[in-house]
Structures are given as structure tokens and as C-alpha cells.
Amino acid sequence: MGLPTTRTDRRYGTVGALILRSGIGATMIAHGVKHGRSIDGTAGWFGSIGFRHPRVQAQASAVVEVGAGAALILGAGTSLAAAAVVATMAVAARSVHLANGFFITAEGYEYVGNLAAAATVLAELGPGRWSIDHKLGIDRALAGRTGVAIAVGVGLAAATAQLAAFYRPGIPDETPLVAVNGVGDDRG
């Protein structure tokens, strides 16, 4: 039996989609868990780069990254999960990486650009047969141009909204300090 020769072959891309879903998904989960395990440190970092309500940003980043990563691995809501990756990478690019040029060795946008591109390609290819989307019968309907439109359109719209609402480069966070459960001070 030879390699698939047409896109209509039902086996085409199933293994590749699983590998791509797993790689992107595991990367997102790893970042989300890292952020979740150090909310205070992550909040401090968000505040230092100009985000208002940095604790909320830290918590949201952990939830979105773990949730999108898990959804990608499972192939559940794949195009929307890819949109979450695109949004996360677009926010990272704008707030940190663009000013540093292309290469990751100088904190450039190489990594975030490639991760967003891979998520967009996954949305176009679809999650493959070994996915929840396939079991629900929505894998083909939400792939192709529709998948790209969802991943890029929703992703960039979400990133734009987050940046417009919370990102103030060069302006320190002015969120008042409040006590949380009577222990210490907490921003956001």
C-alpha cells in the first residue's frame, strides 16, 4: 500500500495532525502550568511589561494556555483552541518580542510566530480522525478556510481586545494594593 496521493484519502494527515496537536498542546500546557505555579511571579512580570491588573492576566494566561493545550491534544474545538494559541502568541509578540527583532536568542518573535503559524496550519488541516471533533462530526466543517478564519480572525480579535483593554506600555500598573484574605498585598 502506497502513500496517500489525494486529500480525499481519509487517512491523509491523521498522524501528522495528532503530532502537531500534541506538540502545540503540550507546549501550551507547559507554559500554562509554569504560569499557574508562580502566579505572583507571573503577575509581577505582567505588571513590569505594562499590563493593568497583572494578577488577572497571570491567572487568565494559566487557564487559557492549559485549556487550549488540552483541547488541542484532544482535538476538541480545534479551531477555537488554535485561535487561543494565535491570540496568546499575538499578545506576546506585541508586548514583548516585536521590538527585539526576529531571533529568539535576542527575545525576538521567532518562537511565538512559529507557534502561531503552526496553530493556524493545524486549524486549516483539521484535527484528523483521532479527535473529539471527528467523533462529533465537526472536524471537516471547521477545517480548511473556515478553520483558518476562526484561528486567525478570533485569535487576532481576542489579542486586540486584550491589548486595548489592559496593555499600557511604559505606564506602571496603578492597580491599588489590597490585602487578600488578610495575608500580604496582592495586585489586581
Side-chain angles (χ1 to χ4, degrees), residues 1-159:
M1 179 177 246
L3 293 173
T5 57
T6 67
R7 291 181 65 84
T8 58
D9 186 325
R10 297 278 299 158
R11 295 167 296 172
Y12 184 82
T14 296
V15 173
L18 178 62
I19 291 168
L20 195 55
R21 286 188 354 241
S22 298
I24 299 168
T27 298
M28 294 303 292
I29 289 171
H31 280 271
V33 167
K34 180 182 177 194
H35 290 158
R37 286 186 174 169
S38 60
I39 290 292
D40 291 335
T42 302
W45 177 77
F46 271 111
S48 76
I49 62 170
F51 276 90
R52 294 174 54 226
H53 305 290
R55 185 167 186 83
V56 172
Q57 299 303 312
Q59 292 167 332
S61 74
V63 169
V64 168
E65 290 167 355
V66 170
L72 285 175
I73 289 171
L74 296 171
T78 304
S79 295
L80 286 174
V85 174
V86 169
T88 302
M89 296 306 111
V91 168
R94 173 62 185 94
S95 62
V96 176
H97 301 288
L98 283 176
N100 298 320
F102 178 73
F103 294 104
I104 189 64
T105 54
E107 292 294 323
Y109 61 88
E110 176 182 13
Y111 170 77
V112 296
N114 278 288
L115 200 52
T120 302
V121 168
L122 178 58
E124 191 274 333
L125 292 174
R129 290 186 340 170
W130 301 330
S131 66
I132 291 174
D133 287 352
H134 180 76
K135 296 293 181 206
L136 296 174
I138 61 173
D139 56 327
R140 289 185 176 209
L142 297 178
R145 291 181 184 147
T146 302
V148 171
I150 291 169
V152 174
V154 172
L156 292 180

Side-chain angles (χ1 to χ4, degrees), residues 148-178:
V148 171
I150 291 169
V152 174
V154 172
L156 292 180
T160 300
Q162 181 183 8
L163 290 165
F166 297 106
Y167 186 54
R168 304 291 183 271
I171 301 172
D173 177 48
E174 306 251 346
T175 306
L177 295 173
V178 295

